[in-house]
Amino acid sequence: MFVSPKRPFEKLLGGLYTTKFCQLLSYRRYYVTAHLPVLPDAGAVSPGAQDVAIIGGGITGLASAWYLAKASPSTQVVLYESGSLGGWIRSEYVDVEDGRGKALFEYGPRTLRPAGVNGRATLDLIQELGLSSEVVFTPKDAPAARNRYIFYPDSIVRLPSPTDGIYSILQDLLTKPLLSGVLSSLALEYFKPKRHDSVLDESVGSFISRRFSPQIADNIVSAVFHGIYAGDIYSLSAKTVLKQLYELEGRRGSLAEAFLEKIINRREPSLIPMSELDLRDSYLSSPPPAEGLQKSSIYGFRRGIQALPLQLEKKLKAMPNVKIRKGTGVFSIVPSGDGKGIIIEAKGEHGVESNHHSSAICTVSSRQLVKMLVEPSEPSKSLILESLASYFELAPSVTVAVINLYFPPSPSGLPLHPYEGFGYLLPRTVPFELNPERALGVLFSSDALPDQDIGAAQKGTKMTIMMGGHWWNEWTSFPDEEEAVLMARRTLARHLNITDVPTHSRVTIQRDCIPQPEVGGWWQLKTLADELAKVYKGRLRVAGTSYSGPGVNDCVRSAWDVVHSLLHPDRANDYVAVRRKG
């Protein structure tokens, strides 16, 4: 009998299904089994899930619609989107080399990581959508996985990789100026005093400086957060973006002590939300082959990451209980007079319309949300606390310029630059004269997922330069395409000595694309949740980057959680204690 070899996606996904739960102890007063179905057909639909509006057609909105429509076929789902679907995700093939090749340019997110529960949720979604055959991978031993760089102070420095071996890593830690003091800071962290109990939040920069050193915060961590949030570590909230680490210090006083205790007590039960248990259970119920994850670092799609929202749109359009209202922008969300639903006021191609829904899930930013929480007849009067509305109307977010460049092969056959890897990030300590354009990072796009380019384009070099973020917060105008390309070329010439002229370029200015969870913002979000519960009686829920994280995996997980809370409100606040085997 012929047995087909396992496809790469199956190998990758298989590694996510190896965790075994040997005992589940109830956190409340009931016993929880290990085989609870994930988002099952809701059967007798609760009153709040009969007819649900989803506001926003980014990846969170699309995934929310998919999870809800699939789990509850009797629920009518209406998705409102004023513009195009997919949010910031957009991919484009550009003809190069006189039409003999096509280079893939990404204008938003470009790669995904398979690690963690959120990564598993995305992989499971990909499998459900039938996109497995489109997935392309970068193995963990590939240059793009092993070689990550930081520009410091005036040159590109490679960071140690887990694949280097202990001797090489120690040598880097002892000899590279960028990493000076890392070993001693790690060793002394155990003896650092715990923060005072009255401190409820602080910046990422403050937290890392306290627990380790200001040099690690400024030279390394600031670069990492330029790549994730495009934000300033002295404004970003440690309680929000480093939640686990911040909580560990609060409980144990030392991160080293907390991790040591975790290793010693690794067989002891740990509490997880019931929703996460339900999510993890899907990986246990029908596990694919358990191999391959350890060989993969990042992945994407053969034709770009836009394949994900496009496939979601295609699948949703084929579902009888889903309607997609493109070109229809919501401007008001009010509770119905009888308290048994929500009235959505929207403007589309046929003018203003008023629609009744039993519930709504809003996936737009908090800044956009609070503008919708008004009576249509009194748009200046908010339905929530005025102080809260005022705060979120000014909620910080950053603008990022993404410049894609394509360089043809050199006549000499030599590479455009001497570095192989994913790219480099710039920390806050880079002098202004070495980064006047305020670049955040440079990606060696040809190395990350080389299988995406077609034909002669595979012999050229793609570079992606990201600029702006918090550096541009005070800017009142942004560069046009010609100016942005010139700024990107100056950056490459200064840092990599690249003076070649790109033959193709594309520029996008992503305005207010990444919400910034600032210090103390968690309390405002909690207050917002309380206000929504009071005014809308649990019939308006929120999800997306303002409430979770900026990555695609975060958005998918946020969508799963909000749908789970809608269909299973009785389980939303429950926890279980999980003990692992081994």
Side-chain angles (χ1 to χ4, degrees):
M1 180 177 66
F2 174 75
V3 180
S4 62
K6 297 180 180 70
R7 294 193 298 269
F9 182 79
E10 291 174 334
K11 291 182 178 181
L12 174 68
L13 195 60
L16 302 174
Y17 291 71
T18 59
T19 302
K20 302 295 183 184
F21 299 108
C22 69
Q23 186 176 359
L24 300 173
L25 306 174
S26 68
Y27 184 58
R28 294 279 175 102
R29 289 180 295 175
Y30 49 80
Y31 183 73
V32 184
T33 69
H35 294 286
L36 298 167
V38 173
L39 291 183
D41 186 332
V45 181
S46 65
Q50 293 171 342
D51 172 21
V52 180
I54 295 178
I55 302 164
I59 196 67
T60 308
L62 290 169
S64 297
W66 168 260
Y67 286 134
L68 180 56
K70 184 171 178 285
S72 182
S74 55
T75 297
Q76 297 300 307
V77 180
V78 181
L79 189 151
Y80 295 90
E81 171 53 55
S82 59
S84 58
L85 297 175
W88 302 109
I89 296 176
R90 187 181 160 214
S91 312
E92 180 189 9
Y93 269 118
V94 176
D95 288 329
V96 298
E97 305 297 337
D98 299 323
R100 293 180 291 110
K102 292 179 181 291
L104 182 72
F105 284 170
E106 298 278 14
Y107 303 126
R110 60 200 59 239
T111 57
L112 301 168
R113 291 188 176 277
V117 177
N118 294 4
R120 292 192 293 235
T122 304
L123 284 167
D124 196 53
L125 175 63
I126 289 167
Q127 190 179 43
E128 289 179 8
L129 295 172
L131 281 174
S132 304
S133 61
E134 291 295 309
V135 173
V136 290
F137 302 97
T138 297
K140 284 188 176 180
D141 57 359
R146 290 186 294 105
N147 300 333
R148 309 281 175 128
Y149 302 93
I150 285 179
F151 188 86
Y152 174 86
D154 56 3
S155 61
I156 294 176
V157 181
R158 180 182 179 274
L159 294 173
S161 167
T163 61
D164 290 345
I166 187 64
Y167 176 78
S168 179
I169 292 174
L170 285 174
Q171 187 177 36
D172 284 347
L173 291 173
L174 293 172
T175 60
K176 292 184 176 179
L178 172 65
L179 306 175
S180 175
V182 169
L183 273 179
S184 59
S185 296
L186 292 174
L188 294 174
E189 192 276 335
Y190 180 86
F191 303 99
K192 298 286 181 70
K194 175 188 173 184
R195 68 175 180 269
H196 194 274
D197 290 341
S198 64
V199 178
L200 300 180
D201 197 5
E202 65 184 301
S203 71
V204 170
S206 170
F207 175 69
I208 298 298
S209 296
R210 271 197 313 104
R211 298 311 314 170
F212 301 102
S213 73
Q215 291 74 24
I216 291 178
D218 292 344
N219 298 334
I220 300 175
V221 176
S222 72
V224 173
F225 276 86
H226 279 165
I228 300 173
Y229 281 93
D232 177 11
I233 61 169
Y234 289 98
S235 296
L236 293 170
S237 162
K239 185 180 179 70
T240 302
V241 304
L242 295 176
K243 182 178 180 181
Q244 186 177 14
L245 294 179
Y246 204 67
E247 289 179 351
L248 285 175
E249 188 210 12
R251 288 201 302 266
R252 303 304 306 170
S254 161
L255 300 180
E257 181 179 352
F259 283 121
L260 182 61
E261 181 183 60
K262 190 172 182 179
I263 292 171
I264 294 173
N265 299 323
R266 64 185 181 277
R267 297 187 183 183
E268 293 299 312
S270 59
L271 291 178
I272 65 171
M274 184 71 77
S275 60
E276 184 171 319
L277 173 65
D278 288 351
L279 177 59
R280 292 185 181 194
D281 186 70
S282 66
Y283 311 131
L284 295 173
S285 57
S286 54
E291 58 177 316
L293 178 62
Q294 69 278 5
K295 297 180 181 179
S296 300
S297 171
I298 57 172
Y299 70 97
F301 299 95
R302 198 171 304 279
R303 299 184 182 182
I305 204 167
Q306 195 177 359
L308 182 56
L310 288 176
Q311 186 73 349
L312 277 166
E313 179 183 3
K314 178 182 176 181
K315 292 286 187 178
L316 289 170
K317 285 181 176 179
M319 302 180 85
N321 60 329
V322 177
K323 291 182 181 178
I324 297 178
R325 304 289 308 279
K326 281 199 288 189
T328 304
V330 173
F331 62 85
S332 174
I333 309 170
V334 298
S336 60
D338 59 6
K340 296 181 179 180
I342 280 181
I343 305 298
I344 299 291
E345 301 279 343
K347 186 174 183 180
E349 58 181 12
H350 301 300
V352 176
E353 55 189 71
S354 180
N355 300 313
H356 182 279
H357 298 275
S358 61
S359 290
I361 297 172
C362 190
T363 67
V364 301
S365 70
S366 59
R367 183 188 292 186
Q368 294 172 287
L369 168 69
V370 295
K371 294 177 181 178
M372 300 175 183
L373 306 181
V374 295
E375 288 279 4
S377 58
E378 295 184 81
S380 62
K381 185 177 181 181
S382 176
L383 294 172
I384 62 173
L385 292 171
E386 288 291 343
S387 59
L388 196 62
S390 299
Y391 173 84
F392 281 105
E393 283 177 2
L394 300 174
S397 59
V398 295
T399 295
V400 177
V402 181
I403 302 102
N404 287 274
L405 303 178
Y406 175 83
F407 298 86
S410 167
S412 65
L414 296 174
L416 190 66
H417 59 83
Y419 302 98
E420 278 190 300
F422 192 80
Y424 66 91
L425 296 168
L426 289 92
R428 66 193 310 273
T429 48
V430 174
F432 177 80
E433 59 270 18
L434 294 180
N435 188 27
E437 296 82 10
R438 292 312 195 187
L440 300 164
V442 175
L443 303 181
F444 305 151
S445 304
S446 295
D447 290 346
L449 293 169
D451 294 338
Q452 292 178 321
D453 297 324
I454 298 173
Q458 293 183 338
K459 297 182 179 179
T461 301
K462 289 189 307 183
M463 308 281 283
T464 305
I465 299 88
M466 300 173 297
M467 294 180 176
H470 71 99
W471 294 124
W472 287 6
N473 281 350
E474 304 303 320
W475 290 28
T476 56
S477 62
F478 301 108
D480 59 26
E481 182 162 353
E482 184 177 350
E483 291 170 333
V485 170
L486 181 59
M487 292 166 70
R489 290 184 58 197
R490 286 173 176 167
T491 298
L492 295 182
R494 190 179 302 110
H495 298 169
L496 295 169
N497 199 31
I498 295 175
T499 57
D500 296 44
V501 179
T503 56
H504 297 79
S505 62
R506 294 289 188 276
V507 175
T508 53
I509 305 294
Q510 309 280 29
R511 294 176 183 263
D512 297 319
C513 61
I514 307 178
Q516 301 291 288
E518 65 179 4
V519 175
W522 64 275
W523 178 256
Q524 300 290 348
L525 286 174
K526 181 182 182 302
T527 307
L528 176 62
D530 293 341
E531 275 290 287
L532 295 181
K534 182 177 72 174
V535 174
Y536 293 89
K537 311 301 181 187
R539 293 182 180 270
L540 175 60
R541 288 169 165 80
V542 295
T545 55
S546 287
Y547 320 100
S548 55
V552 173
N553 288 344
D554 300 315
C555 292
V556 171
R557 172 63 188 277
S558 181
W560 195 96
D561 283 342
V562 75
V563 171
H564 183 277
S565 72
L566 177 65
L567 296 181
H568 307 286
D570 57 316
R571 300 163 67 81
N573 297 316
D574 287 333
Y575 283 74
V576 291
V578 177
R579 181 180 294 141
R580 297 172 182 268
K581 255 186 185 178

